[in-house]
Amino acid sequence: MTTRRTRPAPRPPEGTPPRTELARQARAVLADAVRIAHWAADGPSPGTAPPAAHALERAAAALELSPAQARAGWDRARLAGLVELHGDTARPGWRLRAWDRDDSAVLRGWVALFDAWSLVHAAPEGIEATAVAEAVEAVPQVLSLLQLSAGPVTVPALLDLLGQRVAELHEERCEVPYGPEQQPAPSTPAVEHTDAAGDAELNALLLDWALEGLAAVGALTLGAGHATLTPLGNWAVWVKLEQICVAAQSPAGNIEQSAADMLLGCARLTPGPARDEYRAWLAARTVGSAVTELLAVARGEDALLRGLAFEALRVVGAPAEPVVRSVATDQTLRPYALLWLAEYEGTDPDDAQEVLSREEATWLWVDTAAAVADHGETGLLVRHLDSAVQGTVPALLDEVRAVGHPRTVQVLVALAAAHPDPALAKAVRRAAFQVHTGGA
């Protein structure tokens, strides 16, 4: 018998379409992004990242899209995890490979895009970055009203709620310096909002931007003076409110499963029962084939499976040592391999992190955060901040930007969406925007 630390899965609101239908809708929203992701990975120059204008022109011509559609599709593909950039090379993300067969991967990709709506739809020019950040902080309350109303909500009602929430943020905000604010260009002076009329006008402008951004990612539809959540948007807001994620459930008969399915089946087990499952799975295979299969999973794009694969390799022990040592030069696997080797050679697991360089520890922090964002609960992602070696959020953000992990933008967007501190969330969101746009 094994025990699980799980709770009964809450049921979605009545009328929520089945997951297959939600996934169909998500695929429709991201159809252009999927096409351009396949083009980038399998086109005439496979593996070459296409952010340059001439490459986007080729993509637009090949896919019969306008240049603007090609650029939008490329941005969405990155934000949804369909492609990942490794330097100047674009690689298909694990979600792209699973796109046609895995509804959970599709929905997680769409939720990643939903979380990044403020990057998908540029904010109006000439508005202070602080005002934009406050509007982003207030949007969850707007979405909650839409979800609870279960139907159209008038724009004046949404504007009233947005204004109330922004006023609360003004009162609650604890200003913490996280670096210089991005200043508007001299040719586009910031909108002043020093009186009630100015505040109302600014809030109306920001609400229009937010609603258009959420509509652009398929979360809501806009009518004449009202907004309504789509089934996808309604489901996503419910998921956020319940603070749950789409997580793989343990299949029956782990011994007979592939390494990836076995690891997913063990993902929610406590360490002891999980090790028992690993031993049973290993006992049914030769050591060589088992180690090869586990490392193949570790080289994939799912960070959760990467960490679990090395946990299973710890159960293998000595026979895995030569192979683990051989992958220590692989950037993606190196932090995991170094920790495995340190523990194998007798280092206390609590001290093993000392074998990692600062850059390796930062890469591992982002990789682990990606696993939590994909498979964990919101609170886990917030608590993951405490495990960073930098000690301060500004230092962490500087080094995360520099380390070049392909999931950096998605991790930062998810962290900003999850963190309850508006000032910290604003700093994290700004860092995500800078990485996304290639800024310093």
Side-chain angles (χ1 to χ4, degrees):
M1 296 290 290
T2 60
T3 59
R4 299 174 184 273
R5 290 180 179 175
T6 60
R7 58 172 181 164
R11 297 180 64 84
E14 185 177 354
T16 300
R19 289 173 61 80
T20 52
E21 172 59 19
L22 290 171
R24 186 196 67 76
Q25 295 176 18
R27 288 185 175 99
V29 171
L30 285 162
D32 285 350
V34 170
R35 293 177 64 203
I36 202 166
H38 280 300
W39 181 89
D42 306 322
S45 301
T48 302
H54 64 86
L56 285 171
E57 290 174 1
R58 292 200 306 272
L63 301 175
E64 297 183 349
L65 300 172
S66 69
Q69 288 174 319
R71 167 62 69 182
W74 172 249
D75 286 344
R76 290 176 181 222
R78 288 184 59 197
L79 293 169
L82 297 168
V83 293
E84 296 178 354
L85 295 186
H86 299 258
D88 292 329
T89 300
R91 297 178 186 172
W94 70 273
R95 286 178 182 145
L96 182 63
R97 290 192 289 271
W99 197 253
D100 293 329
R101 58 178 171 79
D102 189 339
D103 289 346
S104 292
V106 172
L107 291 173
R108 287 198 294 270
W110 182 83
V111 169
L113 182 69
F114 170 71
D115 284 340
W117 68 266
S118 61
L119 298 181
V120 172
H121 189 61
E125 294 184 359
I127 297 181
E128 295 173 348
T130 299
V132 173
E134 289 170 350
V136 173
E137 295 294 338
V139 161
Q141 280 69 33
V142 172
L143 290 169
S144 295
L145 175 60
L146 285 162
Q147 198 266 344
L148 292 171
S149 299
V153 179
T154 64
V155 170
L158 297 174
L159 181 59
D160 183 59
L161 179 60
L162 180 75
Q164 291 179 32
R165 183 56 185 147
V166 168
E168 291 172 358
L169 290 173
H170 287 164
E171 296 177 0
E172 298 171 359
R173 186 174 62 233
C174 175
E175 293 291 349
V176 179
Y178 286 111
E181 288 285 340
Q182 188 176 14
Q183 296 297 324
S187 59
T188 57
V191 174
E192 298 291 339
H193 54 290
T194 57
D195 53 29
D199 285 346
E201 182 180 352
L202 179 62
N203 287 339
L205 184 62
L206 288 169
L207 177 64
D208 287 344
W209 164 65
L211 294 178
E212 290 168 1
L214 290 163
V217 300
L220 54 79
T221 57
L222 298 175
H226 65 266
T228 309
L229 284 178
T230 63
L232 264 180
N234 186 69
W235 169 80
V237 175
W238 170 77
V239 169
K240 297 293 182 181
L241 291 173
E242 291 292 331
Q243 294 190 338
I244 65 171
C245 73
V246 179
Q249 298 299 309
S250 176
N254 283 322
I255 292 176
E256 300 175 1
Q257 302 299 320
S258 66
D261 289 340
M262 180 274 294
L263 293 171
L264 284 173
C266 296
R268 298 180 73 86
L269 297 178
T270 54
R275 283 191 292 270
D276 291 340
E277 290 288 304
Y278 301 152
R279 291 188 185 98
W281 186 86
L282 292 165
R285 291 158 179 77
T286 63
V287 172
S289 65
V291 170
T292 298
E293 192 173 352
L294 288 169
L295 281 177
V297 172
R299 287 190 175 94
E301 305 300 334
D302 192 329
L304 175 67
L305 294 186
R306 185 158 32 253
L308 292 175
F310 276 86
E311 288 297 324
L313 288 169
R314 285 178 171 83
V315 174
V316 176
E321 187 266 340
V323 181
V324 173
R325 195 173 295 279
S326 72
V327 301
T329 56
D330 184 311
Q331 182 187 29
T332 301
L333 301 184
R334 180 173 174 78
Y336 295 93
L338 292 179
L339 291 176
W340 191 99
L341 291 168
E343 294 180 30
Y344 172 72
E345 292 167 358
T347 303
D348 189 301
D350 292 336
D351 301 326
Q353 289 275 346
E354 296 177 4
V355 305
L356 302 181
S357 69
R358 184 98 163 188
E359 183 178 1
E360 291 160 353
T362 303
W363 177 281
L364 181 61
W365 186 90
V366 178
D367 210 45
T368 305
V372 175
D374 282 345
H375 299 277
E377 294 189 358
T378 301
L380 293 178
L381 188 59
V382 174
R383 291 195 293 274
H384 185 56
L385 271 177
D386 296 335
S387 67
V389 297
Q390 285 75 12
T392 67
V393 171
L396 172 64
L397 295 180
D398 287 341
E399 295 186 33
V400 162
R401 285 196 295 261
V403 80
H405 193 288
R407 296 290 302 279
T408 297
V409 172
Q410 294 167 45
V411 163
L412 293 178
V413 168
L415 180 59
H419 206 284
D421 183 337
L424 190 148
K426 180 176 72 174
V428 175
R429 191 176 294 106
R430 185 186 306 123
F433 178 81
Q434 290 169 343
V435 175
H436 176 63
T437 58

